[in-house]
Amino acid sequence: VPTLECTISDDTGRITVAFLGRRQIAGIETGTRMVAEGAVSSRGGKLMMINPAYELLASPETTGS
């Protein structure tokens, strides 16, 4: 199954979000600011969300990243 995996990080840590069945999502690229919401699990010692609800906040062009 194609899967797009992204790492979201802030001052508190990082989490991997995985979108199953997707190779890409418009607007999600390195440096994009986003918020994700969903059930969190631990896989291989890392926090992970599968197919979370998400909101794109800013693109790399608007954040200067």
Side-chain angles (χ1 to χ4, degrees):
V1 174
T3 303
L4 173 64
E5 288 192 7
C6 307
T7 300
I8 298 176
S9 61
D10 65 12
D11 294 339
T12 64
R14 66 179 53 194
I15 188 166
T16 299
V17 294
F19 299 95
L20 303 180
R22 307 288 297 268
R23 292 188 197 282
Q24 63 184 32
I25 295 175
I28 296 180
E29 59 185 272
T30 301
T32 298
R33 291 177 181 252
M34 66 185 286
V35 174
E37 183 177 339
V40 176
S41 62
S42 179
R43 177 179 258 167
K46 297 180 182 178
L47 295 177
M48 178 171 257
M49 278 192 258
I50 306 291
N51 291 331
Y54 66 94
E55 179 181 355
L56 301 178
L57 302 177
S59 68
E61 295 81 32
T62 61
T63 62
S65 297

